[in-house]
Amino acid sequence: MAVARQQALTILALFYAGTQHACTQSQPPLQSPGSNSIPSHSFSTSHSQLSETAPEPTPSQTPDSARELEVLKHLGWQQAYSPSGYVISAPLPSNCSLSTWQSLHNLTALTNLTLTGALPPLPDSWGSPGSFPSLQAIDLPHAELYGTLPNWGSALSFPRLRTLNLTNTGLSGNLPAAWGQEAAFPALVQLHLGGTSPGVSRLSGSLPQNWGSPTAFPALALLWINYCNTSGSLSSSWGSNSAFPALTTLSLLELPLQGTLPTSWGGHTAFPSLLELHLGIADKPIGFVHASVSLSGSLPPHWGSNGSFPVLEHLTIANVLPGPGLSGSLPSDWGSPGAFPHLKELLIANNQGGISGPLPSAWGNPDALPELLVLLLDHGSLTGTLPATWGRAGSFRKINNLWLGHNHFHGGLPDAWAQEGAFPSLQVLLLDKAGLSGTFPMSWAALAAFPSLLVANFSYNDFQGSLPAFDNAILDVVDLEGCKLDGTLDELWRSSAPLTAIQASQNRFSGRLPEGSGCLPQLSLLGLRDNFLEGTVPLSWLRPGATLSHVSYLDLGTTWDDSVAQATWRQELCLEQPVLFYTDVTGRHMLIMLSHYEMSDHYPLAGV
């Protein structure tokens, strides 16, 4: 989803929620890959700031602290030392020998280790009992680090480690099953593996089943394994009773996963703390991912049973690889009373030919999905009509983004969706290339319809007939490009909605551009290219306070060309709008391309 998807499939825009975790003296929030917590005694990477000699051990120092100072002195890091805890954030010196590298586990007072540049392989010895007794964070993102993940799984190793970040390194091989052994990583809160973009991580193998055992990762709140070649199926054991008791975020995006979505993950005792779940491949296929590998089967109806995912707020299930992938229909059970009681965002990104069938009527029940803010179901194979039940008063009370474009619906825009009380919080509605037809209903443009709507994209549907005046209370952007609409623009020009952008190119509008100096007073983008308009731009548009005095981007096709050919018109335009005149008369027509990606930049997902 590159993408938020990113994004739309920008995913997809994926979002990682901060989760509080206990520290020795404070409780900082979870942080995204690449960040690191910085307690006191931060250490600069500048060697010019280092003291020339290490402090000499005093009689009160323990053998451990003397050994620690010796290691730091060898690396030129002695200035960082404090017996009460210190941070190393620096490149590894080029003179570091392999034995010195392996001996870093003797740094008993070290709390945070952040290294950059070229690093030797991570030693297994770092995970031996007694190593790093004070260490809370290992943060190595973007380091030139190769070899395999070490078998750190011994009891009593890393007793205080809270953050392990190994993203965007050259590490390869399997995820170690040893990391899921009992007493391994007893305090680990964040685990970041894989990459943040394609082609960086070389991790492979499968997801270890024993990571879902009741004794594994008792404190883990964030498990982030993205953009790598770890494949195989999702283990049902990960949804077993007592597995991942503290997990709030599970992200397994951009992995060539196989098999079905485990029904057990929707069990009443599964994932009691989970707030975010992101699964699948949301970006286009990339070289190291095999296009034949993808999730399959249907969306489990059991995930929508009362008691499942009791606190889940964000759910992403993405599968855009070629092939059958996910199939079946959207489960009606997901709209049952008690299903997903706290869900705020639901994104199901699917390849063509996968999930199909109609939008479930049950999702429009007043007690369905009561906290939902964002519903993204675009670029799929959904069919049927837009269900009238979704327009019931009390349905989707909080939803502010509804993306249904690029599907295969039929029929028209239901009047029920525009009735008073329907979609009271909806801000962005995308129905572009959705297969819709019929006339554009006047009810959808009425003052009481969609009271919070800012952006509406109806482009490239098979509508017919003329446009009404848009009187929606706060409508800002409307895109009707390529909809086969006809008639004149007179009613549109009488709109009372505070429109700043209208894209109506590639339709069948005829007649002349309407007169009227005070119409659409906030309009700044207007696209009417490729229609059957006659005549020229009215001179009334040029007067102070009139249409062209506030339009920034104008695309009128031949109507513009005919207008600027007239000397009087050109002279008045020059006097009133020299910048606009220069821009368009020189042939640089400013096309208004309001794709949903561009609109998502100006109107980001609300409520996230």
Side-chain angles (χ1 to χ4, degrees):
M1 318 196 168
V3 165
R5 310 213 121 227
Q6 281 218 236
Q7 54 354 100
L9 295 180
T10 308
I11 342 284
L12 289 150
L14 299 175
F15 311 98
Y16 299 97
T19 303
Q20 297 292 326
H21 62 282
C23 278
T24 306
Q25 299 180 2
S26 63
Q27 295 185 350
L30 287 180
Q31 302 179 37
S32 60
S35 62
N36 49 284
S37 57
I38 302 294
S40 58
H41 310 296
S42 291
F43 174 59
S44 171
T45 61
S46 172
H47 289 276
S48 64
Q49 298 178 5
L50 302 179
S51 59
E52 295 182 359
T53 58
E56 292 297 329
T58 65
S60 62
Q61 288 175 337
T62 65
D64 283 346
S65 62
R67 184 168 57 248
E68 187 163 5
L69 281 167
E70 186 62 31
V71 173
L72 293 173
K73 178 181 177 182
H74 185 79
L75 294 170
W77 293 345
Q78 61 270 27
Q79 182 182 342
Y81 179 73
S82 169
S84 61
Y86 62 96
V87 170
I88 296 294
S89 180
L92 187 70
S94 57
N95 65 345
C96 179
S97 65
L98 185 59
S99 61
T100 301
W101 172 249
Q102 294 173 340
S103 69
L104 291 187
H105 69 274
N106 292 319
L107 303 180
T108 56
L110 180 66
T111 59
N112 284 53
L113 179 62
T114 300
L115 298 175
T116 58
L119 304 178
L122 295 173
D124 287 341
S125 60
W126 283 15
S128 57
S131 297
F132 293 115
S134 303
L135 191 62
Q136 296 182 29
I138 298 177
D139 204 6
L140 307 178
H142 303 285
E144 297 175 34
L145 181 61
Y146 299 96
T148 59
L149 291 171
N151 285 313
W152 296 340
S154 301
L156 305 180
S157 62
F158 301 112
R160 297 184 181 180
L161 189 68
R162 296 183 173 281
T163 300
L164 178 56
N165 186 355
L166 301 175
T167 53
N168 296 318
T169 66
L171 290 168
S172 60
N174 300 337
L175 305 181
W179 290 16
Q181 294 178 160
E182 185 174 2
F185 300 107
L188 191 65
V189 175
Q190 300 184 58
L191 177 56
H192 305 272
L193 299 171
T196 56
S197 59
V200 177
S201 176
R202 302 179 182 181
L203 294 177
S204 57
S206 58
L207 300 172
Q209 291 190 17
N210 72 324
W211 284 20
S213 64
T215 57
F217 301 112
L220 192 65
L222 186 150
L223 178 54
W224 196 93
I225 308 173
N226 293 344
Y227 283 106
C228 62
N229 216 18
T230 299
S231 60
S233 59
L234 298 172
S235 175
S236 59
S237 66
W238 285 27
S240 60
N241 185 22
S242 301
F244 297 113
L247 194 65
T248 61
T249 299
L250 175 58
S251 183
L252 302 173
L253 280 171
E254 313 310 324
L255 307 182
L257 299 171
Q258 306 174 58
T260 60
L261 300 174
T263 300
S264 64
W265 286 25
H268 291 180
T269 59
F271 300 113
S273 305
L274 195 63
L275 298 174
E276 297 194 32
L277 176 59
H278 307 290
L279 303 172
I281 295 178
D283 279 343
K284 298 297 182 183
I286 48 182
F288 73 102
V289 174
H290 301 293
S292 61
V293 179
S294 62
L295 291 170
S296 59
S298 59
L299 300 174
H302 185 64
W303 284 20
S305 60
N306 194 345
S308 300
F309 298 108
V311 297
L312 189 68
E313 295 182 354
H314 309 273
L315 175 59
T316 299
I317 302 174
N319 196 80
V320 299
L321 290 176
L326 295 169
S327 59
S329 58
L330 298 172
S332 292
D333 290 2
W334 288 19
S336 301
F340 298 110
H342 296 284
L343 191 65
K344 295 180 179 179
E345 297 177 17
L346 175 58
L347 164 62
I348 300 177
N350 194 55
N351 59 296
Q352 297 290 325
I355 294 175
S356 59
L359 297 171
S361 295
W363 290 19
N365 292 332
D367 53 1
L369 304 168
E371 299 297 320
L372 194 64
L373 300 175
V374 176
L375 178 58
L376 309 186
L377 300 173
D378 55 337
H379 289 81
S381 299
L382 298 174
T383 58
T385 60
L386 301 181
T389 56
W390 284 30
R392 291 173 179 168
S395 300
F396 296 115
R397 294 184 301 275
K398 297 184 179 183
I399 196 167
N400 53 49
N401 278 259
L402 179 58
W403 297 21
L404 299 173
H406 294 261
N407 278 292
H408 306 298
F409 301 117
H410 66 266
L413 301 173
D415 285 322
W417 284 32
Q419 65 184 345
E420 189 170 358
F423 297 106
S425 304
L426 188 63
Q427 298 177 22
V428 178
L429 174 61
L430 303 188
L431 289 168
D432 50 313
K433 297 184 179 180
L436 300 171
S437 59
T439 58
F440 196 95
M442 294 183 63
S443 60
W444 278 54
L447 177 63
F450 306 105
S452 302
L453 191 63
L454 294 170
V455 177
N457 189 345
F458 305 104
S459 61
Y460 296 100
N461 285 291
D462 290 327
F463 297 128
Q464 57 186 334
S466 59
L467 275 178
F470 284 92
D471 297 324
N472 310 79
I474 61 172
L475 184 62
D476 189 12
V477 176
V478 61
D479 190 344
L480 294 155
E481 183 173 11
C483 284
K484 303 179 182 178
L485 293 162
D486 55 30
T488 68
L489 295 171
D490 294 343
E491 287 299 317
L492 177 62
W493 233 244
R494 296 188 183 98
S495 297
S496 62
L499 290 165
T500 64
I502 298 174
Q503 171 59 289
S505 296
Q506 298 184 43
N507 280 287
R508 299 170 181 172
F509 296 120
S510 59
R512 292 178 173 270
L513 292 174
E515 293 278 356
S517 60
C519 299
L520 302 170
Q522 301 182 57
L523 193 67
S524 61
L525 297 98
L526 176 62
L528 293 171
R529 175 177 290 271
D530 295 330
N531 281 287
F532 301 104
L533 299 172
E534 302 170 0
T536 61
V537 176
L539 288 175
S540 61
W541 286 26
L542 308 179
R543 299 183 184 118
T547 302
L548 287 188
S549 65
H550 46 80
V551 168
S552 302
Y553 300 101
L554 184 67
D555 181 14
L556 300 177
T558 57
T559 304
W560 175 270
D561 299 332
D562 293 342
S563 300
V564 297
Q566 300 184 34
T568 303
W569 194 97
R570 186 167 62 248
Q571 183 179 12
E572 292 204 36
L573 180 60
C574 240
L575 291 173
E576 297 295 334
Q577 281 291 318
V579 175
L580 180 63
F581 174 78
Y582 175 79
T583 299
D584 284 291
V585 170
T586 54
R588 296 180 55 207
H589 295 290
M590 307 303 290
L591 301 181
I592 309 168
M593 303 299 291
L594 292 177
S595 71
H596 71 264
Y597 295 109
E598 292 171 307
M599 285 196 290
S600 68
D601 292 336
H602 294 288
Y603 299 91
L605 300 183
V608 255

